[in-house]
Amino acid sequence: RISNTAQADIMATSSPLESTIITLGNSNDSDLRHIVRYFRSNCSSVACSSVAGSLASLSETSASTTPTTSANNSAGPLTCSNCKHQRRRGIRFPIRISFVPLDLDNPIEDQHGGNFDLILHKLTEDILSCSLQENSNVEGEDDDINNRQDPSWKRVHALQDYYQRNSHCCLVDHPKNVQTVMSRSDIANVLQKCLKSVTTTSGIPVKSPRFVVIPEDNDPQQRAHQLKRSLHENQEMSTPLIVKPLIAAGTKQSHFMLIAMQDSAFVKLPPKSIVQEFVNHDATLFKVYVMGDYVSVYERHSLPNLPDDLSPLSVDLVDFDSQRPYPKLKDFGLDIKTINDSSISSASDHVPVTVEEVRPVVDALKAAFGLELFGFDILRRSDDSEWLVVDVNYFPSYKEVPNFPSLLARYLTQRVLEQRRRGRR
C-alpha cells in the first residue's frame, strides 16, 4: 500500500492518508519474490523525507568492474526509523509502500480489493509463449480458439484486460512492448531504425551490428549456401561472425551462442538463429540499466579481439554460454603470444562510457521500444569510431546496482504519484 499526505503538488484535496496497492504479477518469479521479501522485512516506507524529496529525480550512477555510487546520488535503504521524530516536528510522513503478489490465474478484481494503482510484472515466459503462438499460427478461427485455451495467453490477456478496464492503473511494462524484445530479429530491426543519426553526447556515432537471419531450410548444405549468399549480397559480412538464437529470453537456450570463425562452419549453424558481425571491442562490454529516468553503466569482461586473418586456424566454430565466463583466445585456437598487442587499444584512448554519454541512446531506445525497465549492452569498437548497441532485454537482473529494491520502490512510487497528479500516461 502507498499512503501519502495530501499536499498541493500531489493531491488536490486535504483528505486523510489514502492507501493504494502496488502489485506484482507472476508471484512465482524468484526475482519478484526477493523484492517482496525485502519490502516486508525492511521497507515500511519509501523514505523518511519530504514528499518533494521522494519525487526528486531518481539518481544516476556510473561504475566500472567494482560498482561505486556517488554519495549525492545514492538512494539509501527504505526505512522509517525516524518517522516518530518527524511527526514530533510536525512533518507528516508522506509515503508508505508495500507489495502484494498477484495471481493471474484468478480474477484480478477478486484480489486485495481489486483496486490497483500499479502492476509490476515479469511475465517473460508467458509473453514468449504468446509470441511463438502468434508466429506459428495461420490466421483463422480455430487458431484463435486454441490460443484462448492456453494458460499463458489467459494470464497475459487478463493483465491487459484489467489495464484497459482501469484507467487509473499503471502497467510496468505493457506486454505488447515486452513482446518485441523476445525476438532478436525484432530487436535488431528496431535498433537499426531507431539508431539512425543517433550519437553519444560527445558525438560518437551509435549503431547496431549488421545482421542476417539464417534461412529455415531443413537441408544444412542448402541453408549454408543461402546464408553465404545473403552475407555477401545483403551485408557484405564475413567471418568471424557471432550466432545467436532468435529467441532472446525466456529459455536457457537463448544464452547459447556460437562464433563462426570460417565459412566451413556455416553448415553446422542451427536454423532459427541470427548472424551478426563480430566487432573487436577490447574484451570489454558495458551493461546499461534503465529504470525510468534512472540510468547506470557497468563495465564487464567480454570476448577477446580476433585477428583479421583466421585462415590458419584449425577451429572453425566456438560455442559459449553468455551467462558464464567468455571463451579466451586459446579456445579459438590462437596463441596469445602471436597476437599483435597493437590491436588492443588503451583504455585511456577511449571516450569513457558514462551515464551522461549514453543518455541520447537511452532516450532513443525508450521511445522505440516503449519500455521503462530494461537493459542493453554497448560495445565500443577498438578504434572508437562508433559504439554498437546489442541485446536489449526487459527487466534485467540489475545485479550490479546498489540498493536495487529501494531504487525500484522509489521509481514505482514516483510513477503512482505522477499518475495521480496528471492522470495515466
Side-chain angles (χ1 to χ4, degrees), residues 85-97:
H85 174 67
Q86 292 199 24
R87 281 195 289 268
R88 284 197 299 269
R89 294 171 54 197
I91 300 175
R92 297 180 66 190
F93 182 68
I95 303 169
R96 186 168 57 223
I97 182 174

Side-chain angles (χ1 to χ4, degrees), residues 97 122 132 140 192 198 205 221 234 248 267 319-320 324 330 336 365 368 377 391 395 425:
I97 182 174
K122 194 172 182 180
L132 294 175
Q192 200 171 59
V198 172
Q221 293 290 346
N234 299 334
V267 72
D319 65 308
F320 67 100
R324 300 180 66 83
K330 63 180 181 180
I336 191 171
L365 267 57
D377 296 347
D391 292 337
F395 206 157
R425 294 181 297 175

Side-chain angles (χ1 to χ4, degrees), residues 25-84:
N26 191 10
S27 58
N28 292 325
D29 186 275
S30 59
D31 292 338
L32 299 188
R33 288 203 306 270
H34 170 72
I35 295 170
V36 172
R37 286 197 300 270
Y38 178 91
F39 281 111
R40 286 177 175 170
S41 61
N42 297 306
C43 303
S44 58
S45 68
V46 167
C48 293
S49 60
S50 66
V51 172
S54 69
L55 283 176
S57 297
L58 291 174
S59 59
E60 299 179 357
T61 62
S62 179
S64 57
T65 306
T66 304
T68 58
T69 306
S70 167
N72 292 330
N73 287 340
S74 62
L78 305 183
T79 63
C80 61
S81 57
N82 54 347
C83 290
K84 293 180 180 179

Side-chain angles (χ1 to χ4, degrees), residues 119-159:
I119 297 179
L120 170 68
H121 74 90
K122 194 172 182 180
L123 297 173
T124 306
E125 294 180 4
D126 286 343
I127 295 171
L128 173 61
S129 177
C130 292
S131 178
L132 294 175
Q133 288 175 22
E134 289 182 10
N135 293 335
S136 62
N137 287 341
V138 178
E139 291 186 6
E141 184 177 345
D142 291 341
D143 294 322
D144 186 58
I145 293 174
N146 290 334
N147 286 347
R148 292 175 182 272
Q149 301 305 314
D150 181 78
S152 295
W153 189 95
K154 290 180 178 180
R155 285 190 288 267
V156 172
H157 281 77
L159 188 61

